[in-house]
Amino acid sequence: MSLLDRVRTCQRWDPDAYRPFIVAGRPMGRVRHAFAHRLDDFPKVFEVGEAAVSLASGLTDFESRTAAVHEILLSLREAGEVPIWRDEAYPIARRWDEDPLMTMERGAVPLFGLRAFGVHLHGLTEVEGVPHIWVAKRSMSKPTAPGKLDHMVAGGQPHGLDIFDNVIKECAEEAAVPPELARQARPAGLVSYVCERPEGLRDDVCFVFDLVLPADFEPRNDDGEVEDFYLWTIEKAKSVVADSDAFKFNCALCLVDLFLRRGYVTPDDPDYHAIAHGLRLVD
Amino acid sequence: MSLLDRVRTCQRWDPDAYRPFIVAGRPMGRVRHAFAHRLDDFPKVFEVGEAAVSLASGLTDFESRTAAVHEILLSLREAGEVPIWRDEAYPIARRWDEDPLMTMERGAVPLFGLRAFGVHLHGLTEVEGVPHIWVAKRSMSKPTAPGKLDHMVAGGQPHGLDIFDNVIKECAEEAAVPPELARQARPAGLVSYVCERPEGLRDDVCFVFDLVLPADFEPRNDDGEVEDFYLWTIEKAKSVVADSDAFKFNCALCLVDLFLRRGYVTPDDPDYHAIAHGLRLVD
């Protein structure tokens, strides 16, 4: 196993299993053929064709699209066909800087292969001059990736919240980082990927942040989403990422990005080229 | 003007003006149609078709390819058709970790649109706690981009030299950085691009390094390639990159990568997505 394996995991999906999901004339996501057939039960909202599924052309604005789809998702949920329900509205857009075309319940977003955004924060510190990173163990009650290793702080990016405000909110909720400390987080780029996961097709952009913590800071979880925190050398985190799938798939990708940015992978590594070019999809 | 303009500059070329250049059955570069016609004068070495130019199939190994092409380049040079001649052998490979199929005189590489590799080093320091970067002004006698702003240290990656050894060598030649200091350079990823330049089609991978320098270090140029050095705040370098084309095109791209990695661009910048996805070509 290798760091590149973790990158490849985030690129694994079968294009033949999907057809485009079109909103306002734009390909915004991808639906499995079986799910497309199911959506054919709702012809007022979904125009299902062999080549694509489109949101009904009569739904011409943000509010009507959001409301019409939400109503159907509620009935699919009732039928047990939206197994994860978060009660969080996600913006439907290909880029964060675009005006979203609608919002959708977070749990349904992967069923439509729609792009989602998230924030991932590396909690970094030094112990006797050696760079360390805080690692979280996800609670067994998390709907996705229970028990997997995670960043100190990470979270989905809901509609209507500024990215940096979300970082500060998640810092408080997940690791009891006081706002004045959380505000020192520095953006460090993004990773992006499309891959199949148990919950559906993930087409995500993760905004990456580095936060350098004082040596005496210890994260503490208040929202029940984290079971434990560990303070590891970055070298140890690198070994675990390379040699196992103990980290949640997209956290592993953000960590590979950190290792690349901070010189823990070197150009003489035969995977360097493929790793660097695998962290972001051209879009 | 904006940082994104600098990224776009590194993506500007006209695919219709070129046909593939094939070596050992693999598309390795791209030649302009007019240059393809010229290569038709050397049918023992180049098989020129409408769809592609291939290196003659009889040239089956590294040595024979290298020697046959070199002989033709010497006669083209004689005719004034290889205006830049560096007497440096570049490896012909799509990735640094591959065994090169041949080598080629550096000055001719952009005429064949072949991939080239380089090292770009950011010389970083702090002045009273404020992050600064050393900027070089290229000598007016440089064959490419004379007088443009540059990294403290940057150079092409010749055949047969380890990347990190090249960094140390260029550090000594370009900025009189002693080897023990140069060895502290940390790899920080890469940028890649295809774009048209006066010298031809550049299809480059630049390995990026950060070197944190002591506050009392001052670069000094010994090989005549640098006219002057300036110590700027990173904010000033960012303004100059965003507002002008004073930096050599690919140095600007490496600097944009630095600004992204170190939080000088933030996710609320409407260009964030496009910048992050424009630093590396998928390949």
Side-chain angles (χ1 to χ4, degrees):
Chain A
M1 302 230 273
S2 68
L3 296 178
L4 184 56
D5 289 332
R6 300 290 92 70
V7 175
R8 296 277 184 248
T9 295
C10 295
Q11 300 172 335
R12 206 164 288 141
W13 67 290
D14 173 11
D16 291 338
Y18 298 85
R19 63 189 81 176
F21 177 56
I22 313 283
V23 182
R26 291 181 56 200
M28 298 297 286
R30 301 169 182 99
V31 289
R32 280 198 166 266
H33 302 308
F35 191 58
H37 291 308
R38 180 69 171 106
L39 294 175
D40 212 7
D41 294 340
F42 310 98
K44 285 188 187 153
V45 176
F46 298 104
E47 294 164 2
V48 177
E50 278 307 304
V53 174
S54 300
L55 206 56
S57 52
L59 300 167
T60 55
D61 60 22
F62 180 97
E63 283 75 19
S64 65
R65 291 179 199 123
T66 302
V69 172
H70 192 72
E71 199 185 315
I72 288 166
L73 291 178
L74 288 173
S75 67
L76 289 174
R77 179 195 189 190
E78 199 68 28
E81 292 168 71
V82 186
I84 298 172
W85 193 273
R86 310 282 290 248
D87 268 326
E88 266 185 71
Y90 262 25
I92 301 309
R94 294 297 299 165
R95 295 159 52 140
W96 182 255
D97 53 275
E98 286 174 3
D99 285 331
L101 297 172
M102 58 185 286
T103 66
M104 184 183 281
E105 153 59 27
R106 175 177 181 173
V109 165
L111 300 177
F112 291 85
L114 289 158
R115 170 152 294 167
F117 304 89
V119 296
H120 288 246
L121 181 136
H122 300 293
L124 304 167
T125 191
E126 292 207 345
V127 179
E128 293 169 4
V130 178
H132 280 60
I133 185 164
W134 282 100
V135 171
K137 183 168 189 291
R138 293 164 71 84
S139 152
M140 291 308 290
S141 64
K142 291 279 280 187
T144 56
K148 287 278 186 185
L149 299 177
D150 201 337
H151 300 289
M152 187 179 86
V153 173
Q157 181 63 40
H159 178 61
L161 184 62
D162 178 81
I163 289 175
F164 203 65
D165 290 343
N166 192 27
V167 168
I168 291 165
K169 178 181 89 68
E170 293 283 347
C171 274
E173 289 175 3
E174 298 208 335
V177 184
E180 61 277 15
L181 179 54
R183 266 186 219 107
Q184 294 173 29
R186 297 278 284 179
L190 57 79
V191 301
S192 57
Y193 55 82
V194 178
C195 65
E196 276 161 6
R197 304 299 306 170
E199 64 272 21
L201 189 69
R202 299 283 298 259
D203 179 344
D204 296 345
V205 170
C206 304
F207 296 105
V208 174
F209 293 80
D210 292 345
L211 175 58
V212 177
L213 297 158
D216 61 356
F217 174 82
E218 274 202 42
R220 188 190 75 239
N221 179 249
D222 286 339
D223 67 2
E225 298 198 3
V226 178
E227 194 177 291
D228 209 350
F229 287 106
Y230 315 112
L231 182 59
W232 286 358
T233 62
I234 296 189
E235 290 291 356
K236 172 164 179 178
K238 184 184 157 191
S239 297
V240 172
V241 171
D243 299 338
S244 78
D245 60 359
F247 276 93
K248 185 168 169 249
F249 74 106
N250 56 1
C251 302
L253 192 70
C254 295
L255 282 163
V256 174
D257 176 70
L258 177 82
F259 304 146
L260 189 83
R261 288 189 284 114
R262 299 207 166 211
Y264 291 87
V265 200
T266 57
D268 53 8
D269 185 318
D271 292 339
Y272 200 73
H273 187 104
I275 287 172
H277 286 92
L279 295 172
R280 297 173 195 145
L281 297 181
V282 167
D283 183 65
Chain B
M1 301 231 273
S2 69
L3 297 178
L4 185 56
D5 290 333
R6 300 291 91 71
V7 175
R8 296 277 184 248
T9 295
C10 296
Q11 300 173 335
R12 205 164 287 141
W13 67 290
D14 174 11
D16 292 338
Y18 298 84
R19 64 188 81 177
F21 177 55
I22 314 283
V23 183
R26 291 180 56 199
M28 298 297 289
R30 301 170 182 98
V31 290
R32 280 200 166 265
H33 301 309
F35 191 57
H37 291 308
R38 180 67 171 106
L39 295 176
D40 213 6
D41 295 340
F42 311 97
K44 285 186 189 156
V45 176
F46 297 104
E47 294 165 2
V48 177
E50 279 308 303
V53 174
S54 300
L55 206 57
S57 51
L59 300 167
T60 54
D61 60 21
F62 181 95
E63 284 74 20
S64 65
R65 292 179 198 122
T66 301
V69 172
H70 193 72
E71 199 186 314
I72 288 167
L73 291 178
L74 287 173
S75 69
L76 289 173
R77 180 195 189 189
E78 199 67 26
E81 291 168 73
V82 187
I84 297 172
W85 193 273
R86 310 283 289 250
D87 268 326
E88 265 186 72
Y90 263 24
I92 301 310
R94 295 297 300 165
R95 295 159 51 141
W96 182 255
D97 53 275
E98 284 174 4
D99 286 329
L101 297 172
M102 57 185 289
T103 67
M104 184 183 283
E105 152 60 27
R106 175 177 180 172
V109 165
L111 300 178
F112 291 85
L114 288 159
R115 170 151 295 167
F117 303 88
V119 295
H120 288 246
L121 181 138
H122 300 292
L124 304 167
T125 190
E126 291 207 345
V127 179
E128 292 169 4
V130 178
H132 279 62
I133 184 165
W134 283 99
V135 171
K137 183 169 189 290
R138 293 164 70 83
S139 151
M140 291 308 289
S141 65
K142 291 279 280 186
T144 56
K148 286 279 185 183
L149 299 177
D150 201 337
H151 300 288
M152 186 178 86
V153 172
Q157 180 63 38
H159 179 61
L161 184 62
D162 177 81
I163 289 174
F164 204 65
D165 290 343
N166 192 27
V167 168
I168 291 167
K169 177 182 89 71
E170 293 284 346
C171 274
E173 288 174 4
E174 297 207 335
V177 183
E180 60 277 15
L181 180 53
R183 266 187 219 107
Q184 294 173 30
R186 297 278 284 178
L190 57 79
V191 301
S192 58
Y193 54 83
V194 177
C195 66
E196 275 160 8
R197 304 298 306 170
E199 64 273 20
L201 189 68
R202 300 283 297 258
D203 180 344
D204 296 345
V205 170
C206 304
F207 296 105
V208 175
F209 293 79
D210 292 346
L211 175 58
V212 177
L213 297 158
D216 61 357
F217 174 81
E218 274 203 42
R220 186 190 78 239
N221 180 250
D222 286 336
D223 67 1
E225 296 197 4
V226 178
E227 194 177 291
D228 209 350
F229 287 106
Y230 315 112
L231 182 59
W232 286 358
T233 63
I234 295 189
E235 289 290 357
K236 172 165 178 178
K238 184 183 157 190
S239 298
V240 172
V241 171
D243 298 339
S244 77
D245 59 0
F247 276 93
K248 184 169 170 249
F249 74 105
N250 55 1
C251 301
L253 192 69
C254 294
L255 282 162
V256 174
D257 175 70
L258 177 82
F259 305 147
L260 189 83
R261 287 188 286 114
R262 299 207 165 213
Y264 292 86
V265 199
T266 56
D268 52 7
D269 185 319
D271 292 338
Y272 200 74
H273 187 103
I275 287 172
H277 285 92
L279 295 172
R280 298 174 196 144
L281 298 182
V282 167
D283 182 62

